[in-house]
Amino acid sequence: MEPVLDMTVVEELLSISDDGDPELLLDLIQMFLDDGPAKVQSVTEALAVGDFDQAERAAHSLKGSSGNLGARMLQAVCERLQLSTRQRALEESRRLAPELEHRYAEAEAALRRLLRSYQG
């Protein structure tokens, strides 16, 4: 089973600072946690009304932020959603929405644990 977070990405973010200060990592995690639920909701709501453009934009944005933090499974479902919305494949896009919600919840839980580990 693939891990929820690719820790090599997390380690790369930590290595950016000279003294190993996790501030950049913590800021990125917090932005993801602050913005993520709205992006997932935006995809779901857009698909409910057949707004492919909005769904694609939200999936694209979430794909980028999840990739930046190493949430590869979430990134992959966002990529598939982007493709299906671009192709105007409503049934396929709607089929992916529950997986998006599930993968987001997994990533959110893993990132919250990581955040807590650095906050003590």
Side-chain angles (χ1 to χ4, degrees):
M1 184 170 161
E2 190 177 340
V4 175
L5 295 180
D6 179 346
M7 292 307 289
T8 59
V9 174
V10 172
E11 290 162 10
E12 285 175 28
L13 288 170
L14 287 171
S15 73
I16 290 173
S17 72
D18 294 331
D19 58 0
D21 182 359
E23 186 176 348
L24 172 63
L25 173 64
L26 300 180
D27 287 347
L28 287 173
I29 291 172
Q30 196 57 59
M31 282 190 293
F32 178 87
L33 296 174
D34 290 344
D35 299 341
K39 290 175 184 173
V40 172
Q41 183 177 358
S42 183
V43 169
T44 304
E45 289 175 355
L47 291 175
V49 297
D51 185 343
F52 292 108
D53 294 333
Q54 177 60 33
E56 183 182 355
R57 280 191 303 274
H60 175 78
S61 178
L62 192 55
K63 180 182 80 172
S65 58
S66 59
N68 289 341
L69 289 167
R72 299 288 186 220
M73 292 183 288
L74 176 58
Q75 183 182 21
V77 74
C78 288
E79 175 128 10
R80 292 191 343 252
L81 253 167
Q82 248 191 293
L83 291 172
S84 67
T85 54
R86 209 175 284 147
Q87 296 168 346
R88 304 293 198 245
L90 188 58
E91 192 172 308
E92 171 70 7
S93 299
R94 286 182 177 165
R95 187 186 64 71
L96 289 168
E99 185 179 352
L100 174 71
E101 292 172 359
H102 172 74
R103 295 299 183 188
Y104 177 80
E106 286 180 331
E108 179 184 39
L111 289 167
R112 286 191 187 282
R113 283 191 301 274
L114 188 60
L115 195 60
R116 281 193 302 272
S117 75
Y118 283 100
Q119 292 175 331

